[in-house]
Amino acid sequence: MGILNVTPDSFSDGGQFSRIDSALRQAEQMIADGATIIDIGGESTRPGAKEVSVKDELARVIPVLKAINARFNIIVSIDTSKAAVMSEGITYGAGIINDVRALQNEGCLTVLAQDQGVGICLMHMQGLPRTMQHNPHYVNLIDDITIFFQERILACTQAGINRSRLILDPGFGFGKSLEQNYSLLANMAKFQCLDLPILAGLSRKSMIGNLLNREINERLAGSLATAIIAAQQGARIIRVHDVKETVDALKVLEATTINR
Ligand code: 7PJ
């Protein structure tokens, strides 16, 4: 899964055309590099990030979704927690709704129950982006996240969403200390007991930067290491910025696994 950010801070402000044009070029490159899913995000969920209005998020995401679907044959995922963005996204051909709040916001379960085709990624987060890194606490990290997944899976099926549409993501960096993030990476295989595909997003995150003391643009090697470990732990989808390098690394792992 290649990450396509359409938040304003990721663009020099050249207006709507330049935004779409730049997004299309990025998407084209990621597809050429081997991405099978493009994840479009219009809300920054970085620790401390500000909230975005429905209107602004729709204006950022929907034109890019339409443009990618008109041009490429690829699964587009929409990284959003807003029911209105999910609904419009489905209307314009999103293949996956990727929600860091696991459909806990008002109206999301209803929107997703109305459509029976689109995939859904349920991510675990403790707290909210503004404060989630202030002293995260777990009784037992893996058990607590497993219970959260079970509760959200139940909420989905009770709302009329087929279980087979669900993808689970433990949410690296979302309300987890450095040690908790690495413990999660080491134990991710345990979520396989829930019998749903696992997605892992680790690319360039603080857990890499803080461990290695590297700035955001110096985290490629660390990111590749986490991608390999996540795949070995059974992750089926790896969400990354550096598609080409990650695909190469995963091909090496795959060849090794096949010829074991
Ligand atoms: C994730 C995400 C993640 C899923 C972001 C960043 C922060 N969606 N959206 N999993 N992270 N499913 O990329 O650093 O880990 S935004």
Side-chain angles (χ1 to χ4, degrees):
M1 172 184 273
I3 301 169
L4 186 57
N5 271 320
V6 292
T7 48
D9 43 60
S10 60
F11 280 88
S12 56
D13 205 9
Q16 186 74 321
F17 174 77
S18 109
R19 184 198 299 266
I20 294 173
D21 193 53
S22 157
L24 279 175
R25 275 185 282 113
Q26 280 188 69
E28 183 170 33
Q29 187 62 55
M30 290 197 285
I31 295 164
D33 289 342
T36 51
I37 305 169
I38 302 287
D39 188 45
I40 308 178
E43 180 210 12
S44 177
T45 41
R46 273 199 305 261
K50 270 199 336 200
E51 301 243 340
V52 179
S53 72
V54 175
K55 184 166 158 283
D56 286 355
E57 202 178 314
L58 282 170
R60 286 175 196 170
V61 169
I62 301 301
V64 174
L65 168 66
K66 284 188 191 172
I68 292 177
N69 271 339
R71 206 125 142 223
F72 307 113
N73 183 14
I74 187 93
I75 299 167
V76 181
S77 154
I78 306 292
D79 190 342
T80 188
S81 296
K82 295 186 178 71
V85 179
M86 293 177 186
S87 177
E88 285 280 289
I90 292 167
T91 301
Y92 291 103
I96 297 175
I97 298 298
N98 170 26
D99 185 4
V100 299
R101 294 176 185 81
L103 308 187
Q104 292 178 96
N105 279 357
E106 182 81 40
C108 294
L109 285 168
T110 313
V111 165
L112 271 298
Q114 277 159 9
D115 174 279
Q116 285 301 338
V118 70
I120 301 164
C121 179
L122 302 172
M123 198 196 78
H124 173 271
M125 165 161 54
Q126 184 177 88
L128 293 168
R130 207 165 51 78
T131 52
M132 66 190 176
Q133 291 308 98
H134 304 169
N135 217 357
H137 175 78
Y138 296 86
V139 177
N140 178 295
L141 181 69
I142 300 295
D143 292 350
D144 291 5
I145 296 174
T146 302
I147 291 166
F148 172 85
F149 283 148
Q150 286 167 332
E151 285 171 359
R152 295 315 300 154
I153 294 165
L154 188 62
C156 286
T157 53
Q158 284 181 342
I161 295 167
N162 201 313
R163 193 181 196 278
S164 66
R165 297 168 59 192
L166 304 177
I167 300 163
L168 305 176
D169 180 346
F172 289 97
F174 287 85
K176 284 114 188 156
S177 69
L178 186 67
E179 293 73 22
Q180 287 160 351
N181 278 309
Y182 281 96
S183 170
L184 194 54
L185 182 56
N187 290 289
M188 229 187 356
K190 293 183 180 155
F191 300 123
Q192 289 183 38
C193 72
L194 294 166
D195 202 25
L196 286 171
I198 307 294
L199 186 155
L202 295 133
S203 187
R204 300 183 187 171
K205 284 193 173 173
S206 297
M207 63 181 280
I208 297 165
N210 292 344
L211 180 77
L212 305 174
N213 196 15
R214 298 283 187 226
E215 292 304 319
I216 198 105
N217 61 345
E218 298 175 326
R219 297 179 187 172
L220 177 59
S223 297
L224 293 174
T226 61
I228 291 299
I229 299 164
Q232 284 185 314
Q233 288 282 319
R236 297 290 307 278
I237 304 172
I238 317 281
R239 181 180 176 278
V240 300
H241 302 87
D242 303 288
V243 173
K244 184 179 180 206
E245 293 82 354
T246 309
V247 168
D248 277 0
L250 291 173
K251 279 182 179 167
V252 171
L253 174 63
E254 191 180 30
T256 314
T257 311
I258 290 169
N259 294 297
R260 185 163 46 198

Short mmCIF file of all heavy atoms in Angstrom, two decimals, residues 203-257:
data_model
loop_
_atom_site.label_atom_id
_atom_site.label_comp_id
_atom_site.label_asym_id
_atom_site.label_seq_id
_atom_site.Cartn_x
_atom_site.Cartn_y
_atom_site.Cartn_z
N SER A 203 6.12 2.95 8.13
CA SER A 203 7.00 3.75 7.29
C SER A 203 7.35 5.12 7.88
O SER A 203 6.46 5.93 8.16
CB SER A 203 6.30 3.94 5.94
OG SER A 203 7.13 4.57 5.02
N ARG A 204 8.64 5.35 8.09
CA ARG A 204 9.19 6.65 8.52
C ARG A 204 8.68 7.12 9.87
O ARG A 204 8.81 8.30 10.21
CB ARG A 204 8.91 7.74 7.48
CG ARG A 204 9.51 7.45 6.11
CD ARG A 204 9.25 8.62 5.17
NE ARG A 204 9.67 8.31 3.81
CZ ARG A 204 9.40 9.07 2.75
NH1 ARG A 204 8.73 10.21 2.90
NH2 ARG A 204 9.81 8.73 1.55
N LYS A 205 8.06 6.25 10.64
CA LYS A 205 7.44 6.71 11.89
C LYS A 205 8.47 7.04 12.97
O LYS A 205 9.62 6.63 12.91
CB LYS A 205 6.42 5.67 12.39
CG LYS A 205 5.13 5.73 11.56
CD LYS A 205 3.98 4.98 12.15
CE LYS A 205 2.73 5.27 11.29
NZ LYS A 205 1.58 4.46 11.68
N SER A 206 7.99 7.75 14.01
CA SER A 206 8.86 8.17 15.11
C SER A 206 9.52 6.99 15.81
O SER A 206 10.63 7.14 16.34
CB SER A 206 8.06 8.95 16.15
OG SER A 206 7.56 10.11 15.58
N MET A 207 8.87 5.85 15.84
CA MET A 207 9.48 4.69 16.51
C MET A 207 10.80 4.31 15.82
O MET A 207 11.68 3.72 16.44
CB MET A 207 8.52 3.49 16.56
CG MET A 207 8.12 2.92 15.22
SD MET A 207 6.97 1.52 15.33
CE MET A 207 8.06 0.15 15.70
N ILE A 208 10.92 4.65 14.55
CA ILE A 208 12.18 4.43 13.82
C ILE A 208 13.12 5.61 14.07
O ILE A 208 14.28 5.42 14.46
CB ILE A 208 11.89 4.24 12.32
CG1 ILE A 208 11.03 2.99 12.10
CG2 ILE A 208 13.21 4.15 11.53
CD1 ILE A 208 10.39 2.90 10.73
N GLY A 209 12.60 6.82 13.88
CA GLY A 209 13.40 8.03 14.07
C GLY A 209 13.97 8.15 15.47
O GLY A 209 15.14 8.49 15.65
N ASN A 210 13.14 7.85 16.46
CA ASN A 210 13.60 7.99 17.85
C ASN A 210 14.60 6.90 18.25
O ASN A 210 15.52 7.15 19.02
CB ASN A 210 12.40 7.97 18.82
CG ASN A 210 11.53 9.21 18.65
OD1 ASN A 210 11.95 10.20 18.04
ND2 ASN A 210 10.31 9.16 19.15
N LEU A 211 14.41 5.70 17.72
CA LEU A 211 15.35 4.62 18.02
C LEU A 211 16.72 4.91 17.41
O LEU A 211 17.76 4.71 18.05
CB LEU A 211 14.81 3.29 17.45
CG LEU A 211 15.69 2.08 17.70
CD1 LEU A 211 15.54 1.59 19.14
CD2 LEU A 211 15.38 0.95 16.73
N LEU A 212 16.71 5.39 16.16
CA LEU A 212 17.96 5.54 15.41
C LEU A 212 18.51 6.96 15.45
O LEU A 212 19.61 7.21 14.94
CB LEU A 212 17.72 5.14 13.95
CG LEU A 212 17.13 3.73 13.73
CD1 LEU A 212 16.81 3.51 12.27
CD2 LEU A 212 18.10 2.65 14.25
N ASN A 213 17.72 7.88 16.01
CA ASN A 213 18.07 9.29 15.99
C ASN A 213 18.26 9.78 14.55
O ASN A 213 19.29 10.33 14.19
CB ASN A 213 19.32 9.54 16.85
CG ASN A 213 19.50 11.00 17.19
OD1 ASN A 213 18.57 11.80 17.03
ND2 ASN A 213 20.69 11.37 17.62
N ARG A 214 17.23 9.55 13.75
CA ARG A 214 17.24 9.93 12.33
C ARG A 214 16.07 10.85 12.02
O ARG A 214 14.95 10.61 12.47
CB ARG A 214 17.09 8.70 11.44
CG ARG A 214 18.19 7.68 11.56
CD ARG A 214 19.44 8.13 10.83
NE ARG A 214 20.42 7.07 10.82
CZ ARG A 214 21.71 7.25 11.11
NH1 ARG A 214 22.17 8.43 11.44
NH2 ARG A 214 22.54 6.23 11.04
N GLU A 215 16.33 11.87 11.20
CA GLU A 215 15.27 12.74 10.70
C GLU A 215 14.39 11.95 9.73
O GLU A 215 14.78 10.88 9.24
CB GLU A 215 15.87 13.96 9.99
CG GLU A 215 16.60 14.93 10.92
CD GLU A 215 15.72 15.42 12.06
OE1 GLU A 215 14.53 15.72 11.81
OE2 GLU A 215 16.22 15.51 13.20
N ILE A 216 13.24 12.55 9.40
CA ILE A 216 12.22 11.86 8.60
C ILE A 216 12.75 11.33 7.26
O ILE A 216 12.39 10.24 6.82
CB ILE A 216 11.00 12.80 8.41
CG1 ILE A 216 9.75 12.03 7.98
CG2 ILE A 216 11.29 13.95 7.47
CD1 ILE A 216 8.76 11.88 9.08
N ASN A 217 13.66 12.08 6.62
CA ASN A 217 14.18 11.66 5.31
C ASN A 217 15.39 10.72 5.42
O ASN A 217 16.02 10.41 4.42
CB ASN A 217 14.51 12.88 4.45
CG ASN A 217 15.58 13.74 5.09
OD1 ASN A 217 15.87 13.58 6.29
ND2 ASN A 217 16.18 14.64 4.33
N GLU A 218 15.69 10.28 6.64
CA GLU A 218 16.82 9.36 6.83
C GLU A 218 16.37 8.04 7.43
O GLU A 218 17.14 7.34 8.09
CB GLU A 218 17.84 9.98 7.79
CG GLU A 218 18.46 11.27 7.30
CD GLU A 218 19.37 11.89 8.36
OE1 GLU A 218 19.07 11.75 9.56
OE2 GLU A 218 20.37 12.49 7.96
N ARG A 219 15.09 7.72 7.24
CA ARG A 219 14.53 6.55 7.93
C ARG A 219 14.26 5.36 7.00
O ARG A 219 13.54 4.44 7.37
CB ARG A 219 13.24 6.95 8.65
CG ARG A 219 13.49 7.99 9.73
CD ARG A 219 12.22 8.41 10.44
NE ARG A 219 12.51 9.52 11.34
CZ ARG A 219 11.59 10.23 11.99
NH1 ARG A 219 10.30 9.92 11.86
NH2 ARG A 219 11.94 11.22 12.78
N LEU A 220 14.81 5.39 5.78
CA LEU A 220 14.50 4.32 4.82
C LEU A 220 14.98 2.96 5.31
O LEU A 220 14.21 1.99 5.30
CB LEU A 220 15.09 4.65 3.44
CG LEU A 220 14.89 3.57 2.38
CD1 LEU A 220 13.40 3.27 2.15
CD2 LEU A 220 15.54 3.98 1.06
N ALA A 221 16.22 2.87 5.74
CA ALA A 221 16.75 1.56 6.16
C ALA A 221 15.94 1.02 7.33
O ALA A 221 15.55 -0.16 7.34
CB ALA A 221 18.23 1.69 6.53
N GLY A 222 15.66 1.88 8.29
CA GLY A 222 14.85 1.46 9.43
C GLY A 222 13.45 1.04 9.01
O GLY A 222 12.91 0.03 9.48
N SER A 223 12.87 1.77 8.06
CA SER A 223 11.53 1.45 7.58
C SER A 223 11.51 0.09 6.89
O SER A 223 10.58 -0.71 7.07
CB SER A 223 11.03 2.52 6.60
OG SER A 223 10.91 3.76 7.26
N LEU A 224 12.55 -0.19 6.09
CA LEU A 224 12.62 -1.48 5.39
C LEU A 224 12.74 -2.62 6.39
O LEU A 224 12.12 -3.68 6.22
CB LEU A 224 13.80 -1.49 4.41
CG LEU A 224 13.67 -0.52 3.23
CD1 LEU A 224 14.95 -0.52 2.41
CD2 LEU A 224 12.48 -0.87 2.36
N ALA A 225 13.54 -2.41 7.43
CA ALA A 225 13.68 -3.45 8.45
C ALA A 225 12.32 -3.74 9.09
O ALA A 225 11.93 -4.91 9.25
CB ALA A 225 14.71 -3.02 9.51
N THR A 226 11.56 -2.70 9.42
CA THR A 226 10.25 -2.94 10.05
C THR A 226 9.29 -3.62 9.07
O THR A 226 8.49 -4.46 9.48
CB THR A 226 9.60 -1.63 10.56
OG1 THR A 226 9.39 -0.74 9.47
CG2 THR A 226 10.43 -0.96 11.64
N ALA A 227 9.37 -3.26 7.79
CA ALA A 227 8.48 -3.88 6.80
C ALA A 227 8.73 -5.39 6.72
O ALA A 227 7.78 -6.18 6.67
CB ALA A 227 8.68 -3.24 5.42
N ILE A 228 10.00 -5.78 6.73
CA ILE A 228 10.34 -7.20 6.66
C ILE A 228 9.85 -7.94 7.90
O ILE A 228 9.26 -9.02 7.81
CB ILE A 228 11.88 -7.38 6.51
CG1 ILE A 228 12.32 -6.88 5.13
CG2 ILE A 228 12.30 -8.83 6.71
CD1 ILE A 228 11.70 -7.63 3.98
N ILE A 229 10.09 -7.34 9.06
CA ILE A 229 9.66 -7.99 10.30
C ILE A 229 8.14 -8.13 10.32
O ILE A 229 7.60 -9.19 10.66
CB ILE A 229 10.19 -7.23 11.54
CG1 ILE A 229 11.72 -7.20 11.53
CG2 ILE A 229 9.67 -7.88 12.83
CD1 ILE A 229 12.31 -6.17 12.48
N ALA A 230 7.44 -7.06 9.92
CA ALA A 230 5.97 -7.10 9.90
C ALA A 230 5.49 -8.22 8.97
O ALA A 230 4.57 -8.98 9.32
CB ALA A 230 5.40 -5.76 9.47
N ALA A 231 6.10 -8.33 7.80
CA ALA A 231 5.70 -9.38 6.85
C ALA A 231 5.97 -10.76 7.44
O ALA A 231 5.15 -11.67 7.31
CB ALA A 231 6.43 -9.20 5.52
N GLN A 232 7.10 -10.91 8.12
CA GLN A 232 7.41 -12.20 8.75
C GLN A 232 6.44 -12.53 9.86
O GLN A 232 6.18 -13.68 10.16
CB GLN A 232 8.84 -12.19 9.30
CG GLN A 232 9.88 -12.33 8.20
CD GLN A 232 11.29 -12.44 8.74
OE1 GLN A 232 11.68 -11.67 9.62
NE2 GLN A 232 12.05 -13.38 8.22
N GLN A 233 5.90 -11.48 10.48
CA GLN A 233 4.90 -11.66 11.53
C GLN A 233 3.49 -11.85 10.94
O GLN A 233 2.52 -11.86 11.67
CB GLN A 233 4.90 -10.44 12.46
CG GLN A 233 6.11 -10.34 13.37
CD GLN A 233 5.99 -11.28 14.55
OE1 GLN A 233 4.94 -11.43 15.14
NE2 GLN A 233 7.09 -11.94 14.89
N GLY A 234 3.40 -11.94 9.63
CA GLY A 234 2.12 -12.27 9.00
C GLY A 234 1.34 -11.10 8.45
O GLY A 234 0.21 -11.30 7.98
N ALA A 235 1.88 -9.88 8.48
CA ALA A 235 1.15 -8.74 7.89
C ALA A 235 0.97 -8.98 6.40
O ALA A 235 1.91 -9.38 5.71
CB ALA A 235 1.90 -7.44 8.15
N ARG A 236 -0.23 -8.75 5.91
CA ARG A 236 -0.54 -9.00 4.49
C ARG A 236 -0.47 -7.73 3.67
O ARG A 236 -0.35 -7.76 2.44
CB ARG A 236 -1.94 -9.63 4.37
CG ARG A 236 -2.05 -11.01 5.05
CD ARG A 236 -1.25 -12.06 4.30
NE ARG A 236 -1.61 -12.09 2.90
CZ ARG A 236 -2.66 -12.73 2.42
NH1 ARG A 236 -3.44 -13.42 3.21
NH2 ARG A 236 -2.94 -12.69 1.13
N ILE A 237 -0.61 -6.58 4.33
CA ILE A 237 -0.54 -5.29 3.65
C ILE A 237 0.43 -4.41 4.43
O ILE A 237 0.31 -4.30 5.66
CB ILE A 237 -1.93 -4.61 3.59
CG1 ILE A 237 -2.96 -5.53 2.91
CG2 ILE A 237 -1.85 -3.26 2.88
CD1 ILE A 237 -4.41 -5.02 2.96
N ILE A 238 1.41 -3.83 3.73
CA ILE A 238 2.39 -2.96 4.39
C ILE A 238 2.20 -1.56 3.79
O ILE A 238 2.33 -1.38 2.57
CB ILE A 238 3.85 -3.44 4.14
CG1 ILE A 238 3.98 -4.96 4.29
CG2 ILE A 238 4.81 -2.69 5.05
CD1 ILE A 238 4.05 -5.48 5.68
N ARG A 239 1.89 -0.60 4.66
CA ARG A 239 1.61 0.78 4.22
C ARG A 239 2.90 1.59 4.26
O ARG A 239 3.46 1.78 5.33
CB ARG A 239 0.55 1.36 5.16
CG ARG A 239 0.10 2.77 4.84
CD ARG A 239 -0.95 3.22 5.85
NE ARG A 239 -1.35 4.59 5.64
CZ ARG A 239 -0.67 5.64 6.08
NH1 ARG A 239 0.44 5.48 6.77
NH2 ARG A 239 -1.11 6.86 5.84
N VAL A 240 3.36 2.04 3.07
CA VAL A 240 4.69 2.68 3.00
C VAL A 240 4.74 3.89 2.08
O VAL A 240 3.93 4.04 1.17
CB VAL A 240 5.77 1.68 2.52
CG1 VAL A 240 5.89 0.50 3.46
CG2 VAL A 240 5.53 1.22 1.09
N HIS A 241 5.76 4.74 2.32
CA HIS A 241 6.07 5.84 1.41
C HIS A 241 6.97 5.35 0.28
O HIS A 241 6.82 5.76 -0.85
CB HIS A 241 6.80 6.96 2.16
CG HIS A 241 6.04 7.53 3.32
ND1 HIS A 241 6.10 6.99 4.58
CD2 HIS A 241 5.20 8.59 3.39
CE1 HIS A 241 5.33 7.70 5.39
NE2 HIS A 241 4.77 8.67 4.69
N ASP A 242 7.96 4.50 0.62
CA ASP A 242 8.99 4.10 -0.33
C ASP A 242 8.64 2.76 -0.96
O ASP A 242 9.14 1.70 -0.54
CB ASP A 242 10.34 4.05 0.39
CG ASP A 242 10.68 5.38 1.03
OD1 ASP A 242 10.99 6.33 0.29
OD2 ASP A 242 10.58 5.48 2.27
N VAL A 243 7.79 2.81 -1.98
CA VAL A 243 7.23 1.58 -2.55
C VAL A 243 8.31 0.73 -3.21
O VAL A 243 8.41 -0.48 -2.96
CB VAL A 243 6.10 1.91 -3.54
CG1 VAL A 243 5.62 0.66 -4.28
CG2 VAL A 243 4.93 2.58 -2.82
N LYS A 244 9.12 1.34 -4.06
CA LYS A 244 10.11 0.59 -4.83
C LYS A 244 11.04 -0.21 -3.91
O LYS A 244 11.23 -1.42 -4.08
CB LYS A 244 10.92 1.58 -5.67
CG LYS A 244 11.92 0.94 -6.60
CD LYS A 244 12.63 2.03 -7.39
CE LYS A 244 13.65 1.43 -8.32
NZ LYS A 244 14.72 2.39 -8.61
N GLU A 245 11.59 0.46 -2.93
CA GLU A 245 12.54 -0.18 -2.02
C GLU A 245 11.86 -1.26 -1.19
O GLU A 245 12.43 -2.33 -0.94
CB GLU A 245 13.18 0.87 -1.10
CG GLU A 245 14.09 1.87 -1.82
CD GLU A 245 13.35 3.03 -2.49
OE1 GLU A 245 12.10 3.04 -2.50
OE2 GLU A 245 14.05 3.92 -3.02
N THR A 246 10.63 -1.00 -0.77
CA THR A 246 9.91 -1.98 0.06
C THR A 246 9.56 -3.23 -0.76
O THR A 246 9.69 -4.35 -0.27
CB THR A 246 8.63 -1.36 0.66
OG1 THR A 246 8.98 -0.13 1.31
CG2 THR A 246 7.99 -2.30 1.67
N VAL A 247 9.13 -3.02 -2.00
CA VAL A 247 8.80 -4.16 -2.86
C VAL A 247 10.05 -5.02 -3.07
O VAL A 247 9.99 -6.26 -2.99
CB VAL A 247 8.18 -3.70 -4.20
CG1 VAL A 247 8.11 -4.83 -5.20
CG2 VAL A 247 6.78 -3.12 -3.96
N ASP A 248 11.20 -4.41 -3.30
CA ASP A 248 12.46 -5.17 -3.44
C ASP A 248 12.73 -5.99 -2.18
O ASP A 248 13.03 -7.18 -2.25
CB ASP A 248 13.65 -4.23 -3.69
CG ASP A 248 13.79 -3.83 -5.15
OD1 ASP A 248 12.97 -4.28 -5.97
OD2 ASP A 248 14.73 -3.07 -5.46
N ALA A 249 12.64 -5.33 -1.05
CA ALA A 249 12.94 -6.02 0.21
C ALA A 249 11.97 -7.20 0.42
O ALA A 249 12.39 -8.29 0.81
CB ALA A 249 12.85 -5.04 1.37
N LEU A 250 10.69 -6.97 0.12
CA LEU A 250 9.70 -8.04 0.31
C LEU A 250 9.90 -9.18 -0.68
O LEU A 250 9.63 -10.34 -0.34
CB LEU A 250 8.28 -7.48 0.21
CG LEU A 250 7.87 -6.54 1.36
CD1 LEU A 250 6.51 -5.90 1.07
CD2 LEU A 250 7.83 -7.28 2.70
N LYS A 251 10.41 -8.87 -1.88
CA LYS A 251 10.69 -9.94 -2.86
C LYS A 251 11.81 -10.84 -2.34
O LYS A 251 11.79 -12.06 -2.56
CB LYS A 251 11.08 -9.34 -4.21
CG LYS A 251 9.88 -8.91 -5.03
CD LYS A 251 10.33 -8.38 -6.38
CE LYS A 251 9.14 -7.95 -7.22
NZ LYS A 251 9.58 -7.15 -8.40
N VAL A 252 12.79 -10.26 -1.69
CA VAL A 252 13.89 -11.05 -1.11
C VAL A 252 13.33 -11.97 -0.02
O VAL A 252 13.63 -13.16 0.03
CB VAL A 252 15.00 -10.13 -0.55
CG1 VAL A 252 16.03 -10.95 0.24
CG2 VAL A 252 15.68 -9.37 -1.68
N LEU A 253 12.46 -11.43 0.81
CA LEU A 253 11.83 -12.25 1.86
C LEU A 253 11.01 -13.37 1.24
O LEU A 253 11.08 -14.52 1.66
CB LEU A 253 10.94 -11.37 2.75
CG LEU A 253 10.12 -12.13 3.80
CD1 LEU A 253 11.03 -12.84 4.80
CD2 LEU A 253 9.17 -11.19 4.52
N GLU A 254 10.26 -13.03 0.19
CA GLU A 254 9.38 -14.02 -0.45
C GLU A 254 10.20 -15.16 -1.05
O GLU A 254 9.86 -16.34 -0.87
CB GLU A 254 8.54 -13.34 -1.53
CG GLU A 254 7.43 -14.21 -2.07
CD GLU A 254 6.60 -13.50 -3.13
OE1 GLU A 254 7.15 -12.63 -3.85
OE2 GLU A 254 5.42 -13.83 -3.25
N ALA A 255 11.28 -14.82 -1.75
CA ALA A 255 12.13 -15.86 -2.36
C ALA A 255 12.71 -16.76 -1.29
O ALA A 255 12.83 -17.98 -1.45
CB ALA A 255 13.25 -15.21 -3.17
N THR A 256 13.06 -16.18 -0.17
CA THR A 256 13.63 -16.94 0.93
C THR A 256 12.59 -17.88 1.55
O THR A 256 12.87 -19.01 1.88
CB THR A 256 14.14 -15.97 2.03
OG1 THR A 256 14.89 -14.93 1.39
CG2 THR A 256 15.02 -16.67 3.03
N THR A 257 11.37 -17.37 1.64
CA THR A 257 10.28 -18.15 2.24
C THR A 257 9.91 -19.32 1.33
O THR A 257 9.76 -20.45 1.79
CB THR A 257 9.06 -17.24 2.46
OG1 THR A 257 9.49 -16.06 3.14
CG2 THR A 257 8.01 -17.93 3.31
#
